[in-house]
């Protein structure tokens, strides 16, 4: 009788939210003796209904060599089922799945996990064109465990909304949406204790944090040559038009960089709650961004278009409030 391998750090634990997408991937579980046993052969698939009737309550694993293929299957499965999932499961459930997938995608971007991201972005854009109010809500669903993946998804949803409001072409919308989703890919190599510090960063820690745009640009240039159109957003989303930004302190910023600098800042200050800093209400955040715009740090046209893209102005009072903030 053949001996079963023992679970060790090389086996890859997969997320329960993605199980229905692993049609062609073998899944394993750990038995009470610490050895792994085949749970599902390749070719067998789960559905939402079957998982609900008979959920697996433990951990499931894939072979190390199947890691990237499993993630790519999850990305493709999510993309193919995006619109129907919103109808059948609701926006919150779909966002949970997207968070899980993007979290895994960003975990090791140098391993080839970015290859299928454009397919997910295509599906989101198609979903927005059919159900714009639903996709907008992706950014409004809050989570207590705020993370880089959640921030990236929120920025992406806001960016796609901005693109539709400003009547950008599908190609431009895809590029800007991808750039938004990947703008913080460099944070995957910033120490976790710095990313989640429950206090203001020290000057030395902030110097490390300020490296993430260049790290992200290096990742894209080296491991995602098909996504180089998103590189300006990764490199420039913390730059400011007055030269006060980082990492280069340049005033020559691309259109994508200027768009993401506004949206990234807005999303962070309205959602990233820290022990030393409360998140801001949308109106207060827009007032702050307006002040920064008046100081010459953000592009005025982009800021105003973004602000208006946040609402459908069905309320007269809401319309007046926005116009008062923007001074238009």
């Amino acid at each position: 009788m053949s001996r079963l391998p023992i679970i060790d750090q090389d086996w890859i634990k997969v997320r329960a939210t993605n199980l229905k997408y692993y049609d062609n991937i073998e899944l394993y579980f750990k038995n009470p003796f610490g050895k792994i046993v085949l749970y599902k052969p390749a070719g067998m698939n789960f559905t939402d209904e079957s998982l609900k009737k008979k959920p697996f309550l433990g951990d499931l694993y894939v072979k190390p060599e199947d890691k990237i293929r499993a993630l790519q299957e999850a990305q493709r499965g999510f993309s193919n089922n995006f619109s129907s999932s919103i109808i059948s499961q609701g926006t919150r459930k779909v966002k949970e799945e997207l968070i899980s997938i993007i979290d895994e995608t960003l975990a090791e971007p140098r391993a080839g996990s970015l290859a299928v991201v454009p397919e997910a972005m295509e599906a989101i854009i198609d979903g927005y064109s059919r159900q714009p109010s639903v996709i907008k809500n992706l950014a409004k669903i809050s989570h207590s465990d705020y993370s880089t993946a959640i921030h990236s998804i929120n920025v992406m949803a806001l960016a796609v909304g901005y693109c539709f409001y400003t009547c950008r072409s599908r190609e431009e919308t895809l590029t800007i949406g991808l750039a938004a989703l990947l703008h913080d890919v460099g944070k995957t190599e910033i120490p976790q204790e710095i990313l989640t510090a429950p206090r203001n960063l020290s000057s030395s820690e902030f110097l490390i944090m300020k490296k993430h745009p260049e790290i992200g640009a290096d990742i894209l240039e080296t491991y995602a040559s098909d996504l180089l159109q998103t590189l300006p957003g990764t490199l420039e989303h913390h730059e400011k038009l007055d030269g006060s930004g980082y990492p280069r302190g340049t005033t020559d910023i691309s259109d994508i960089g200027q768009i993401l600098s506004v949206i990234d800042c807005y999303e962070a200050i309205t959602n990233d709650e820290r022990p030393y800093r409360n998140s801001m209400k949308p109106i207060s955040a827009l007032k702050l961004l307006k002040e920064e715009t008046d100081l010459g740090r953000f592009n005025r046209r982009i800021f105003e278009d973004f602000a208006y893209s946040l609402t459908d102005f069905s309320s007269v009072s809401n319309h007046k409030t926005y116009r008062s903030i923007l001074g238009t």
Side-chain angles (χ1 to χ4, degrees), residues 15 17-18 67 71 75 95-109 113-114 117 145-153 181 188 192:
R15 304 188 180 215
T17 51
N18 298 342
K67 177 180 180 179
L71 178 55
Q75 290 174 345
K95 184 169 183 177
E96 288 174 2
E97 286 189 9
L98 185 56
I99 290 169
S100 178
I101 289 171
I102 296 304
D103 199 32
E104 284 196 85
T105 299
L106 295 179
E108 292 186 62
S113 62
L114 302 181
V117 174
D145 54 340
Y146 188 79
S147 65
T148 298
I150 292 172
H151 169 67
S152 299
I153 290 167
L181 201 55
T188 58
Q192 193 65 25

Side-chain angles (χ1 to χ4, degrees), residues 183 213-217 220 230-239 246-248:
H183 76 283
E214 293 176 314
I215 294 172
L220 292 175
T230 70
L231 194 148
T234 299
L235 187 60
E236 300 172 352
H237 65 278
H238 283 296
E239 298 288 4
Y246 66 85
R248 296 177 298 169

Side-chain angles (χ1 to χ4, degrees), residues 26-244:
E26 292 179 344
L27 295 178
Y28 296 83
F29 72 97
K30 182 169 63 174
N31 70 15
F33 303 102
K35 297 178 180 179
I36 65 166
V37 179
L38 182 66
Y39 176 72
K40 181 194 82 66
M44 175 183 172
N45 69 298
F46 296 117
T47 64
D48 286 323
E49 186 175 340
S50 65
L51 288 170
K52 187 177 293 186
K53 287 182 178 178
K54 191 179 179 181
F56 186 81
L57 302 179
D59 294 325
L60 291 173
Y61 300 83
V62 297
K63 296 175 182 176
E65 59 266 31
D66 287 339
K67 177 180 180 179
I68 295 302
R69 192 161 62 90
L71 178 55
Q72 290 175 340
E73 281 213 6
Q75 290 174 345
R76 284 200 175 98
F78 175 85
S79 302
N80 293 337
N81 291 280
F82 181 76
S83 292
S84 59
S85 294
I86 283 181
I87 296 171
S88 63
Q89 300 182 75
T91 309
R92 180 172 290 277
K93 181 67 174 176
V94 168
K95 184 169 183 177
E96 288 174 2
E97 286 189 9
L98 185 56
I99 290 169
S100 178
I101 289 171
I102 296 304
D103 199 32
E104 284 196 85
T105 299
L106 295 179
E108 292 186 62
R110 295 184 187 270
S113 62
L114 302 181
V116 195
V117 174
E119 293 182 26
M121 197 65 245
E122 290 266 12
I124 290 168
I125 290 172
D126 286 340
Y128 194 103
S129 64
R130 297 189 193 100
Q131 301 165 297
S133 61
V134 173
I135 309 305
K136 274 188 175 183
N137 286 335
L138 281 177
K140 295 179 181 178
I141 297 172
S142 61
H143 289 76
S144 57
D145 54 340
Y146 188 79
S147 65
T148 298
I150 292 172
H151 169 67
S152 299
I153 290 167
N154 290 348
V155 171
M156 176 274 296
L158 292 169
V160 171
Y162 165 86
C163 288
F164 272 77
Y165 178 80
T166 54
C167 301
R168 300 269 177 156
S169 68
R170 180 182 176 83
E171 183 179 356
E172 284 183 298
T173 302
L174 177 61
T175 297
I176 293 170
L178 281 170
L181 201 55
L182 299 176
H183 76 283
D184 268 345
V185 67
K187 285 186 177 178
T188 58
E189 297 181 12
I190 299 297
Q192 193 65 25
E193 60 268 24
I194 291 180
L195 290 177
T196 59
R199 50 174 172 72
N200 285 314
L201 297 179
S202 67
S203 56
S204 60
E205 288 173 329
F206 189 51
L207 284 175
I208 294 173
M209 176 67 87
K210 287 167 69 173
K211 293 178 180 179
H212 78 267
E214 293 176 314
I215 294 172
D218 178 66
I219 289 172
L220 292 175
E221 287 179 322
T222 309
Y223 298 94
S225 58
D226 292 340
L227 296 172
L228 291 184
Q229 72 273 27
T230 70
L231 194 148
T234 299
L235 187 60
E236 300 172 352
H237 65 278
H238 283 296
E239 298 288 4
K240 300 292 186 291
L241 290 175
D242 66 350
S244 63

